[in-house]
Amino acid sequence: MDEIMGEMSLEDKPGTSSGNVVLSAEIKKKYSWDINREMYHRELNLTNRIGWRGAHTSAEGFNQAFYGSRQAVEQLTELFRHDKRGTCLNFNRVGDLLCSGCHVGEIVVWDWVNQKRLHRHIPGPYGRIKGIKFLDSTAGLDIVCASEGNQVHRSVIPPSGGAVKSELLYTHDNVAQLIVVPHSRYEVLTCGSHLKHFDIRTHVSTTLLRCTNETEERHLPIFSIAHHPYAPEISIAGSDDVLRVYDKRNTSIFLAQKSPFRAGDVPFTWISSVAYNHSGSEILVGYSHADIYLFNSRDLNADYLHRYQGRWNHSAGTAQFFGPKSEFVMSANYGVYIMFWDRNTEEMIKKTISKPISWIHALEPHPWMPVLASAEAEHAIKIWAPQGGTDNGLAPVPKPSLI
């Protein structure tokens, strides 16, 4: 119990008492969720009573609230590792399976809880897997992946465990990222030299748009793409500092163009990643050699909402949300650090380093548990979970040497 509560232990904090569990003003200010009170309410079956002191009203309420709490982030530590190098990751919708792609073109499906490798195969003749996603399908395990050979494959693993069926869906020049349209099991989007849409039902691929720099009148490669979780809206990141938002049904004109910079204010930078929050109301934009910015997708004419600082402006990784309601922002920085910020306060609350030092290619949050998976270049695919402790890693640490 003491290990789970970490620095929230009642014996360590003044102003507490048994029964009502009243925390000091200092702790209330720092933490918006009190694990002691919530565990006390859960034992008395108060968490399922609607409107009881603002408690949660579903059976998963306690788990979801803990997932979105600062305590869960601060106590993230390495749980175990799968001895397989990875370049990209994805949990399935249920969250019991994890698929990974590696630099030699192999796809592996993990029963990550039991630390077992269920399947492994190579979908095509080309190398490094650059993007991988599960498809919700009744045909067994259904996986789409994009490879360095500019090919997008679909692999179906039958529930009987028979031979894996792989097919080439389409080719895409300089493919950089692959996503599956939310709440759709048939639509795949890839970005690279342009943005491409593929419908698995009709096996038809369509070029949605080519990103163009209006000032220099040249085509830009697209590094990242995000789809609104509910609306037919997409955001793309080209090789400049401008975020472009489109209606997917008509990409001939953009809905908005956003940049937090003014011409000449910052050194050369480009958008390395873009992501929507859980409801689509906010867009998170990560810049290479710069900070992370949060925009309001419902008011695209406004300035940015938040700015998350503290990354070294070199080899900054993709920026993503963490938590069931996107309570936190995370990013792999300098290749070996994982950093977390509070979304609202912009405060950095956690920094952890890959040990032994290895380049982090991808981060993948679990869909409903406070669990994080990381794919590393040299050592392993790691699983991170709250394991107690109070070290948030924010003490000054020298920059790691990768040579």
Side-chain angles (χ1 to χ4, degrees):
M1 181 69 174
D2 291 338
E3 183 182 11
I4 295 176
M5 288 192 291
E7 60 183 277
M8 293 298 294
S9 174
L10 289 175
E11 298 177 356
D12 297 336
K13 299 299 178 182
T16 63
S17 61
S18 60
N20 292 332
V21 192
V22 181
L23 292 180
S24 66
E26 178 184 356
I27 301 304
K28 285 184 178 180
K29 182 178 179 181
K30 186 175 182 181
Y31 296 97
S32 59
W33 187 78
D34 178 7
I35 189 171
N36 301 303
R37 181 190 63 206
E38 296 298 333
M39 293 188 70
Y40 174 73
H41 284 177
R42 187 175 70 165
E43 290 183 1
L44 296 179
N45 196 29
L46 300 180
T47 56
N48 293 327
R49 296 187 182 180
I50 298 176
W52 177 266
R53 296 183 181 179
H56 308 286
T57 58
S58 68
E60 295 79 19
F62 181 88
N63 294 335
Q64 292 289 284
F66 179 60
Y67 188 0
S69 69
R70 178 167 174 164
Q71 293 94 317
V73 174
E74 288 182 335
Q75 296 182 14
L76 280 176
T77 54
E78 183 183 329
L79 185 62
F80 52 79
R81 62 181 65 182
H82 299 299
D83 188 18
K84 188 70 177 179
R85 292 182 291 178
T87 56
C88 51
L89 297 166
N90 187 232
F91 283 103
N92 65 343
R93 179 175 56 85
V94 178
D96 59 337
L97 298 178
L98 175 71
C99 64
S100 64
C102 69
H103 68 289
V104 296
E106 185 179 52
I107 290 176
V108 181
V109 179
W110 304 92
D111 177 356
W112 65 272
V113 175
N114 296 310
Q115 305 184 46
K116 292 182 180 180
R117 185 166 49 197
L118 300 181
H119 301 280
R120 56 187 298 182
H121 71 280
I122 298 177
Y126 296 99
R128 181 172 179 258
I129 304 296
K130 303 183 75 173
I132 189 168
K133 294 291 181 182
F134 276 106
L135 288 175
D136 288 334
S137 175
T138 58
L141 296 179
D142 205 341
I143 301 171
V144 291
C145 69
S147 68
E148 201 169 41
N150 300 330
Q151 294 187 344
V152 179
H153 284 86
R154 180 189 184 189
S155 300
V156 179
I157 305 172
S160 60
V164 179
K165 301 177 182 178
S166 294
E167 64 171 325
L168 174 63
L169 298 181
Y170 61 98
T171 60
H172 189 166
D173 294 339
N174 302 317
V175 60
Q177 186 182 6
L178 175 148
I179 66 170
V180 176
V181 175
H183 307 293
S184 172
R185 66 176 68 175
Y186 306 110
E187 297 177 83
V188 177
L189 292 173
T190 51
C191 62
S193 57
H194 53 282
L195 179 62
K196 211 162 190 177
H197 173 274
F198 183 84
D199 193 315
I200 293 176
R201 295 165 294 187
T202 60
H203 274 66
V204 173
S205 61
T206 306
T207 298
L208 289 184
L209 65 90
R210 296 183 182 273
C211 185
T212 304
N213 186 309
E214 289 77 10
T215 303
E216 302 177 10
E217 297 182 352
R218 62 184 178 90
H219 290 301
L220 302 174
I222 304 174
F223 294 152
S224 182
I225 176 177
H227 194 289
H228 193 287
Y230 301 107
E233 178 182 299
I234 55 176
S235 296
I236 66 170
S239 58
D240 59 7
D241 62 348
V242 179
L243 170 69
R244 296 171 175 85
V245 182
Y246 294 87
D247 187 323
K248 188 176 65 174
R249 298 165 296 185
N250 180 15
T251 57
S252 59
I253 57 174
F254 52 80
L255 298 178
Q257 291 190 106
K258 297 291 297 182
S259 174
F261 311 119
R262 295 180 180 178
D265 284 354
V266 295
F268 177 71
T269 184
W270 63 90
I271 300 177
S272 59
S273 65
V274 58
Y276 281 93
N277 70 342
H278 70 289
S279 64
S281 62
E282 297 170 341
I283 305 175
L284 187 69
V285 182
Y287 285 88
S288 178
H289 301 80
D291 297 320
I292 303 170
Y293 293 85
L294 186 68
F295 293 95
N296 183 359
S297 66
R298 296 171 180 172
D299 185 6
L300 293 171
N301 294 321
D303 201 0
Y304 63 86
L305 297 174
H306 296 289
R307 177 184 180 184
Y308 307 99
Q309 304 178 71
R311 301 193 302 176
W312 292 321
N313 298 331
H314 175 72
S315 302
T318 60
Q320 298 170 259
F321 289 105
F322 186 80
K325 294 185 178 179
S326 308
E327 290 88 349
F328 306 98
V329 172
M330 66 177 178
S331 176
N333 185 44
Y334 207 72
V336 297
Y337 287 99
I338 305 175
M339 301 172 125
F340 294 83
W341 293 263
D342 186 288
R343 185 193 63 184
N344 294 322
T345 66
E346 305 178 10
E347 177 189 3
M348 185 184 296
I349 61 174
K350 174 76 172 180
K351 179 173 67 176
T352 184
I353 187 171
S354 170
K355 295 181 180 180
I357 290 177
S358 177
W359 194 272
I360 299 173
H361 280 303
L363 298 173
E364 178 73 8
H366 193 276
W368 56 271
M369 291 174 59
V371 171
L372 177 68
S374 64
E376 301 188 0
E378 298 298 332
H379 298 291
I381 294 170
K382 295 181 180 178
I383 303 295
W384 306 77
Q387 292 293 298
T390 59
D391 183 16
N392 57 17
L394 297 182
V397 178
K399 295 182 181 180
S401 174
L402 300 177
I403 300 176

